[in-house]
PDB file of all heavy atoms in Angstrom:
ATOM      1  N   ASP L 144     105.010 105.231 104.384  1.00  0.00           N
ATOM      2  CA  ASP L 144     105.294 103.862 103.951  1.00  0.00           C
ATOM      3  C   ASP L 144     104.235 103.386 102.949  1.00  0.00           C
ATOM      4  O   ASP L 144     104.581 102.659 101.986  1.00  0.00           O
ATOM      5  CB  ASP L 144     105.296 102.885 105.132  1.00  0.00           C
ATOM      6  CG  ASP L 144     106.444 103.193 106.092  1.00  0.00           C
ATOM      7  OD1 ASP L 144     107.487 103.733 105.690  1.00  0.00           O
ATOM      8  OD2 ASP L 144     106.281 102.848 107.291  1.00  0.00           O
ATOM      9  N   ALA L 145     102.980 103.734 103.176  1.00  0.00           N
ATOM     10  CA  ALA L 145     101.886 103.286 102.340  1.00  0.00           C
ATOM     11  C   ALA L 145     102.038 103.772 100.899  1.00  0.00           C
ATOM     12  O   ALA L 145     101.536 103.128  99.979  1.00  0.00           O
ATOM     13  CB  ALA L 145     100.550 103.750 102.899  1.00  0.00           C
ATOM     14  N   ALA L 146     102.721 104.891 100.719  1.00  0.00           N
ATOM     15  CA  ALA L 146     102.898 105.461  99.424  1.00  0.00           C
ATOM     16  C   ALA L 146     104.148 104.973  98.712  1.00  0.00           C
ATOM     17  O   ALA L 146     104.286 105.179  97.473  1.00  0.00           O
ATOM     18  CB  ALA L 146     102.925 106.996  99.483  1.00  0.00           C
ATOM     19  N   ASN L 147     105.027 104.326  99.445  1.00  0.00           N
ATOM     20  CA  ASN L 147     106.320 103.940  98.938  1.00  0.00           C
ATOM     21  C   ASN L 147     106.341 102.444  98.570  1.00  0.00           C
ATOM     22  O   ASN L 147     106.306 101.586  99.486  1.00  0.00           O
ATOM     23  CB  ASN L 147     107.437 104.228  99.962  1.00  0.00           C
ATOM     24  CG  ASN L 147     108.816 103.935  99.460  1.00  0.00           C
ATOM     25  OD1 ASN L 147     108.998 103.362  98.395  1.00  0.00           O
ATOM     26  ND2 ASN L 147     109.794 104.330 100.253  1.00  0.00           N
ATOM     27  N   PRO L 148     106.414 102.070  97.298  1.00  0.00           N
ATOM     28  CA  PRO L 148     106.373 100.681  96.933  1.00  0.00           C
ATOM     29  C   PRO L 148     107.567  99.866  97.422  1.00  0.00           C
ATOM     30  O   PRO L 148     107.509  98.652  97.505  1.00  0.00           O
ATOM     31  CB  PRO L 148     106.319 100.690  95.406  1.00  0.00           C
ATOM     32  CG  PRO L 148     106.923 101.997  95.021  1.00  0.00           C
ATOM     33  CD  PRO L 148     106.546 102.943  96.122  1.00  0.00           C
ATOM     34  N   TRP L 149     108.639 100.557  97.821  1.00  0.00           N
ATOM     35  CA  TRP L 149     109.822  99.863  98.273  1.00  0.00           C
ATOM     36  C   TRP L 149     109.950  99.819  99.772  1.00  0.00           C
ATOM     37  O   TRP L 149     110.933  99.230 100.305  1.00  0.00           O
ATOM     38  CB  TRP L 149     111.058 100.544  97.661  1.00  0.00           C
ATOM     39  CG  TRP L 149     110.976 100.627  96.147  1.00  0.00           C
ATOM     40  CD1 TRP L 149     110.850 101.749  95.403  1.00  0.00           C
ATOM     41  CD2 TRP L 149     110.936  99.526  95.252  1.00  0.00           C
ATOM     42  NE1 TRP L 149     110.757 101.444  94.089  1.00  0.00           N
ATOM     43  CE2 TRP L 149     110.795 100.058  93.953  1.00  0.00           C
ATOM     44  CE3 TRP L 149     110.987  98.145  95.397  1.00  0.00           C
ATOM     45  CZ2 TRP L 149     110.731  99.283  92.809  1.00  0.00           C
ATOM     46  CZ3 TRP L 149     110.904  97.332  94.277  1.00  0.00           C
ATOM     47  CH2 TRP L 149     110.775  97.901  92.988  1.00  0.00           C
ATOM     48  N   ALA L 150     109.056 100.466 100.520  1.00  0.00           N
ATOM     49  CA  ALA L 150     109.144 100.452 101.989  1.00  0.00           C
ATOM     50  C   ALA L 150     108.974  99.048 102.520  1.00  0.00           C
ATOM     51  O   ALA L 150     109.739  98.608 103.419  1.00  0.00           O
ATOM     52  CB  ALA L 150     108.114 101.372 102.581  1.00  0.00           C
ATOM     53  N   PHE L 151     107.987  98.323 101.985  1.00  0.00           N
ATOM     54  CA  PHE L 151     107.756  96.917 102.376  1.00  0.00           C
ATOM     55  C   PHE L 151     107.524  96.157 101.094  1.00  0.00           C
ATOM     56  O   PHE L 151     106.370  95.961 100.664  1.00  0.00           O
ATOM     57  CB  PHE L 151     106.569  96.792 103.331  1.00  0.00           C
ATOM     58  CG  PHE L 151     106.758  97.497 104.647  1.00  0.00           C
ATOM     59  CD1 PHE L 151     106.179  98.725 104.907  1.00  0.00           C
ATOM     60  CD2 PHE L 151     107.554  96.899 105.617  1.00  0.00           C
ATOM     61  CE1 PHE L 151     106.409  99.357 106.124  1.00  0.00           C
ATOM     62  CE2 PHE L 151     107.764  97.545 106.837  1.00  0.00           C
ATOM     63  CZ  PHE L 151     107.187  98.767 107.099  1.00  0.00           C
ATOM     64  N   PRO L 152     108.591  95.708 100.441  1.00  0.00           N
ATOM     65  CA  PRO L 152     108.441  95.023  99.153  1.00  0.00           C
ATOM     66  C   PRO L 152     107.551  93.783  99.191  1.00  0.00           C
ATOM     67  O   PRO L 152     107.037  93.385  98.144  1.00  0.00           O
ATOM     68  CB  PRO L 152     109.909  94.670  98.784  1.00  0.00           C
ATOM     69  CG  PRO L 152     110.749  95.641  99.543  1.00  0.00           C
ATOM     70  CD  PRO L 152     109.991  95.859 100.830  1.00  0.00           C
ATOM     71  N   ASP L 153     107.409  93.177 100.350  1.00  0.00           N
ATOM     72  CA  ASP L 153     106.557  91.975 100.445  1.00  0.00           C
ATOM     73  C   ASP L 153     105.072  92.321 100.312  1.00  0.00           C
ATOM     74  O   ASP L 153     104.268  91.437 100.072  1.00  0.00           O
ATOM     75  CB  ASP L 153     106.779  91.245 101.763  1.00  0.00           C
ATOM     76  CG  ASP L 153     106.473  92.079 102.981  1.00  0.00           C
ATOM     77  OD1 ASP L 153     106.919  93.250 103.038  1.00  0.00           O
ATOM     78  OD2 ASP L 153     105.754  91.607 103.887  1.00  0.00           O
ATOM     79  N   LEU L 154     104.743  93.619 100.441  1.00  0.00           N
ATOM     80  CA  LEU L 154     103.331  94.031 100.255  1.00  0.00           C
ATOM     81  C   LEU L 154     103.084  94.260  98.752  1.00  0.00           C
ATOM     82  O   LEU L 154     102.721  95.334  98.306  1.00  0.00           O
ATOM     83  CB  LEU L 154     103.035  95.295 101.038  1.00  0.00           C
ATOM     84  CG  LEU L 154     103.065  95.187 102.549  1.00  0.00           C
ATOM     85  CD1 LEU L 154     102.702  96.519 103.195  1.00  0.00           C
ATOM     86  CD2 LEU L 154     102.134  94.081 103.064  1.00  0.00           C
ATOM     87  N   ASP L 155     103.291  93.207  98.020  1.00  0.00           N
ATOM     88  CA  ASP L 155     103.135  93.246  96.557  1.00  0.00           C
ATOM     89  C   ASP L 155     102.739  91.886  96.044  1.00  0.00           C
ATOM     90  O   ASP L 155     103.355  90.881  96.450  1.00  0.00           O
ATOM     91  CB  ASP L 155     104.454  93.686  95.892  1.00  0.00           C
ATOM     92  CG  ASP L 155     104.320  93.875  94.396  1.00  0.00           C
ATOM     93  OD1 ASP L 155     103.213  94.184  93.935  1.00  0.00           O
ATOM     94  OD2 ASP L 155     105.322  93.690  93.688  1.00  0.00           O
ATOM     95  N   GLY L 156     101.681  91.855  95.265  1.00  0.00           N
ATOM     96  CA  GLY L 156     101.282  90.574  94.735  1.00  0.00           C
ATOM     97  C   GLY L 156      99.771  90.517  94.570  1.00  0.00           C
ATOM     98  O   GLY L 156      99.065  91.474  94.879  1.00  0.00           O
ATOM     99  N   PRO L 157      99.275  89.406  94.047  1.00  0.00           N
ATOM    100  CA  PRO L 157      97.831  89.258  93.837  1.00  0.00           C
ATOM    101  C   PRO L 157      97.023  89.462  95.114  1.00  0.00           C
ATOM    102  O   PRO L 157      97.329  88.903  96.164  1.00  0.00           O
ATOM    103  CB  PRO L 157      97.703  87.813  93.318  1.00  0.00           C
ATOM    104  CG  PRO L 157      99.047  87.484  92.769  1.00  0.00           C
ATOM    105  CD  PRO L 157     100.015  88.226  93.648  1.00  0.00           C
ATOM    106  N   GLY L 158      95.990  90.294  95.029  1.00  0.00           N
ATOM    107  CA  GLY L 158      95.123  90.514  96.151  1.00  0.00           C
ATOM    108  C   GLY L 158      95.612  91.534  97.172  1.00  0.00           C
ATOM    109  O   GLY L 158      94.901  91.822  98.154  1.00  0.00           O
ATOM    110  N   ILE L 159      96.841  92.041  97.000  1.00  0.00           N
ATOM    111  CA  ILE L 159      97.379  93.055  97.933  1.00  0.00           C
ATOM    112  C   ILE L 159      97.238  94.438  97.332  1.00  0.00           C
ATOM    113  O   ILE L 159      97.708  94.662  96.214  1.00  0.00           O
ATOM    114  CB  ILE L 159      98.853  92.743  98.261  1.00  0.00           C
ATOM    115  CG1 ILE L 159      99.000  91.350  98.880  1.00  0.00           C
ATOM    116  CG2 ILE L 159      99.429  93.808  99.203  1.00  0.00           C
ATOM    117  CD1 ILE L 159     100.444  90.969  99.157  1.00  0.00           C
TER     118      ILE L 159
END
Side-chain angles (χ1 to χ4, degrees):
D144 295 335
N147 184 352
W149 306 113
F151 295 102
D153 61 312
L154 293 181
D155 184 28
I159 300 177

